[in-house]
Amino acid sequence: MLASANDLTAARQRIAAAYDPAALEAAGTQLMAVLAEHFHNVESRDAKVLNWNEPAAQVREARRLLDEFLLPPREGLGEGSLVASITSRIAALTRETLARGQNLHHPHYVGHQVPAPIPLAGLFDLVGTITNQCMAIYEMGPWATAVEHAVIDAVGERIGFTSGRFAGLVTSGGSLANLTGLLTARNVTLGDAWSAGLSGRNPAPVLVAQADAHYSVTRSAGILGLGTNQIIPAALDQRRRMDPDQLDRTLSDLRARGTPIIAVSAAACATPIGAFDPLADIADVCRRHKVWLHVDAAHGGALVFSQRHRHLLAGIEQADSIVCDAHKMMFVPALCAMLFYKNREHRIATFHQDAPYLFDPTATELRDYDSGIVNLECTKRSAAFGVWGIWSLLGPQIFADLVDVTIDLAQKFHALLEATDDFVPLHEPQCNIVVFRYEPPELRDAPVEKIDAFQLQLRRAVIESGEFYLVQSRLDGRTILRTTMMNPLTTEDDLRGLLDCIRSAARTLL
Ligand SMILES: Cc1ncc(COP(=O)(O)O)c(C=O)c1O
């Protein structure tokens, strides 16, 4: 059925209201005031960390707000009052959103490896988002593309790559970056895998992965057609770092059997306790065996900025591919993951396709700037605005500061745990991750299953109280409590408070 002229006029009016710059200005001003108030409350600990609600109740509330939409404007609303209604509705929806979410900026947030990002970084993302500076080819997002290239060049130089000889890309998350890097490694190592696939290869190719590798690394083996049975875990030392001597033996063994090795995937640092593999020694072993070295530095890559901690990444510049998440220890909003190739030629070994609807065959000089050629994503967010904006605003020192302060917090927390006799620290932190167990005297002789179950009960009690946010995990078959210092505003006093909070939760449970 054709729309009547009146219907279309009404449609145009609704669209005009949705696109009205005056509404954007008024609502944006109000929004910033709401956000500033939120940060003030949260940073001054005058709020809960996690606003715990049952998921079904959250969905009902979100649905209620969906159904109570404001537009179309009620009869008789003048232009000025529509802007006022939009502004107050946006403020109300934002307050609701803030009241029901996770408060990463609360100094009692010591949970997942997701930071309390520098709020100002979000402003640069906002510009990219609301003007939709997407890319796939250069002309779709020329400035966003330039920003990504500038960020890749600047971070790559910090890593220690030779200017002009390396390449990189920005993608949506460390998982996708690991998959992309390992796909490149597979294609370079096997030559014809992109077109011929992997079936019928005998011996079947393997991926040698740090035994504590993040699941996105091992998942990649499934996605890339290697099969997860083809993952060879690289043995770890006492501190859960890859052992180069044992790696040497593993690679010698595989080479002796003629097994193709897609890559060695090392970690800097690995997720469970934040252990950094000795990259220089591992790179040496890989070079001798002519094996691609991939370094998953999604979490710890930002240590390249720190004078104090950079040594933990010594040798990283020898890796063939490196993943570094800016949305972890560079403290910008998710998602902004970087993938680097030491050898620039490898950037075009990942995908081999043509797409006449995108790539202009006469514009070969632009190929290097067409993100779709090197990225799994076609339409891609302008993900680097946050890093670029903060770096342009405050300089790279801010990234060093964030790394130094959060690792210092982890070391202080570890010292606090060690000074007690009811907490059991489980490792000396190299990064900003600290894992431990709480074992009060009442449980000292209890079976391990009971102690393990108690950690889960404790954590649930703590997070549901909204006092602190920490996570649980498993290590060597045992349940543990896990903290990551992802908020630079956390203080040693806050961490003392965490111990007290756990103790008082335990008293209510025992
Ligand atoms: C070592 C490591 N690699 C990769 C990832 C995955 O990154 P993302 O969550 O950005 O996909 C994580 C996430 O915590 C990680 O710790």
Side-chain angles (χ1 to χ4, degrees):
M1 199 179 73
L2 285 179
S4 74
N6 281 350
D7 286 348
L8 283 177
T9 304
R12 287 203 180 88
Q13 280 169 355
R14 288 192 291 270
I15 290 170
Y19 282 75
D20 182 6
L24 179 69
E25 184 181 1
T29 307
Q30 175 75 34
L31 178 70
M32 286 307 152
V34 172
L35 280 173
E37 187 191 357
H38 167 76
F39 283 120
H40 183 75
N41 291 341
V42 164
E43 290 180 9
S44 61
R45 301 161 184 77
D46 204 7
K48 289 185 168 183
V49 189
L50 171 64
N51 296 296
W52 178 259
N53 288 290
E54 291 301 329
Q58 296 272 75
V59 175
R60 271 196 306 280
E61 183 58 10
R63 182 59 202 261
R64 182 184 72 74
L65 290 163
L66 264 189
D67 293 342
E68 283 181 6
F69 57 88
L70 173 71
L71 295 173
R74 274 171 282 130
E75 283 296 318
L77 276 182
E79 210 175 282
S81 59
L82 177 58
V83 168
S85 309
I86 287 176
T87 302
S88 73
R89 177 76 172 158
I90 287 184
L93 290 172
T94 306
R95 286 205 176 92
E96 194 69 21
T97 300
L98 296 172
R100 290 178 166 271
Q102 175 69 274
N103 286 329
L104 292 107
H105 290 86
H106 194 303
H108 292 185
Y109 179 92
V110 287
H112 288 285
Q113 292 158 256
V114 179
I118 306 170
L120 294 171
L123 296 182
F124 296 97
D125 272 344
L126 180 72
V127 176
T129 303
I130 64 179
T131 62
N132 216 12
Q133 299 300 307
C134 290
M135 45 194 115
I137 57 171
Y138 172 68
E139 66 210 39
M140 287 168 70
W143 183 243
T145 306
V147 160
E148 280 198 10
H149 277 249
V151 166
I152 288 291
D153 284 352
V155 178
E157 285 161 15
R158 291 260 156 177
I159 284 173
F161 283 145
T162 311
S163 198
R165 307 238 318 253
F166 71 95
L169 54 96
V170 174
T171 192
S172 293
S175 302
L176 192 51
N178 273 327
L179 175 67
T180 309
L182 291 170
L183 173 59
T184 313
R186 187 200 75 169
N187 292 351
V188 170
T189 307
L190 299 182
D192 62 348
W194 179 260
S195 49
L198 298 189
S199 64
R201 287 179 196 263
N202 194 8
V206 297
L207 169 69
V208 178
Q210 219 263 17
D212 274 345
H214 187 259
Y215 79 84
S216 59
V217 169
T218 46
R219 178 179 280 189
S220 298
I223 301 172
L224 295 177
L226 298 172
T228 51
N229 289 345
Q230 295 303 106
I231 299 166
I232 311 278
L236 307 182
D237 66 13
Q238 294 286 323
R239 297 180 66 189
R240 303 190 90 87
R241 300 168 304 185
M242 194 189 289
D243 180 334
D245 291 336
Q246 296 202 61
L247 176 70
D248 194 14
R249 284 196 285 279
T250 302
L251 297 187
S252 299
D253 199 38
L254 289 165
R255 285 291 187 227
R257 284 188 273 132
T259 305
I261 306 164
I262 298 298
V264 166
S265 181
C269 51
T271 314
I273 63 165
F276 283 82
D277 289 339
L279 297 177
D281 293 346
I282 291 168
D284 190 40
V285 173
C286 289
R287 193 176 324 103
R288 274 192 281 112
H289 291 278
K290 297 193 171 45
V291 174
W292 181 288
L293 173 59
H294 175 79
V295 176
D296 177 2
H299 188 80
L303 271 64
V304 291
F305 290 95
S306 161
Q307 297 281 351
R308 283 179 177 218
H309 300 290
R310 214 214 121 91
H311 65 96
L312 291 167
L313 295 172
I316 193 169
E317 73 289 348
Q318 296 173 54
D320 296 287
S321 51
I322 299 170
V323 168
C324 172
D325 276 2
H327 64 261
K328 289 193 168 65
M329 288 188 77
M330 286 175 79
F331 289 80
V332 297
L335 289 162
C336 178
M338 296 171 277
L339 169 63
F340 295 92
Y341 299 110
K342 179 176 65 185
N343 175 349
R344 219 179 132 77
E345 295 309 313
H346 288 151
R347 76 199 185 288
I348 47 168
T350 324
F351 307 104
H352 303 269
Q353 280 172 300
D354 198 15
Y357 37 83
L358 271 182
F359 307 122
D360 176 351
T362 63
T364 45
E365 78 287 359
L366 296 180
R367 281 288 164 108
D368 250 341
Y369 299 95
D370 290 345
S371 65
I373 290 178
V374 295
N375 273 74
L376 185 69
E377 293 154 288
C378 177
T379 306
K380 193 175 94 58
R381 280 190 70 235
S382 51
F385 275 135
V387 175
W388 173 82
I390 288 301
W391 190 321
S392 303
L393 192 67
L394 305 173
Q397 183 60 41
I398 189 70
F399 302 122
D401 295 341
L402 291 161
V403 164
D404 290 351
V405 164
T406 52
I407 294 183
D408 179 60
L409 277 171
Q411 289 167 349
K412 290 201 162 102
F413 187 46
H414 179 257
L416 288 176
L417 293 168
E418 282 221 306
T420 69
D421 48 18
D422 47 353
F423 285 89
V424 183
L426 296 171
H427 67 115
E428 209 168 294
Q430 282 193 295
C431 198
N432 58 348
I433 299 172
V434 182
V435 309
F436 60 98
R437 256 194 309 273
Y438 183 55
E439 293 186 5
E442 294 88 329
L443 286 185
R444 198 127 303 151
D445 299 321
V448 292
E449 295 76 20
K450 188 165 177 192
I451 299 176
D452 283 7
F454 187 65
Q455 310 305 307
L456 297 179
Q457 286 175 289
L458 255 183
R459 185 190 90 92
R460 196 126 281 286
V462 169
I463 69 164
E464 289 186 14
S465 76
E467 281 279 304
F468 280 87
Y469 183 76
L470 75 169
V471 302
Q472 94 282 322
S473 185
R474 300 275 294 170
L475 193 70
D476 295 329
R478 298 287 310 274
T479 302
I480 54 166
L481 297 173
R482 183 170 184 275
T483 55
T484 313
M485 305 301 152
M486 292 307 266
N487 185 336
L489 306 179
T490 302
T491 63
E492 198 177 347
D493 263 352
D494 291 316
L495 297 172
R496 271 193 209 95
L498 172 59
L499 301 189
D500 291 342
C501 178
I502 292 174
R503 285 187 181 115
S504 63
R507 279 195 292 277
T508 64
L509 292 169
L510 283 167

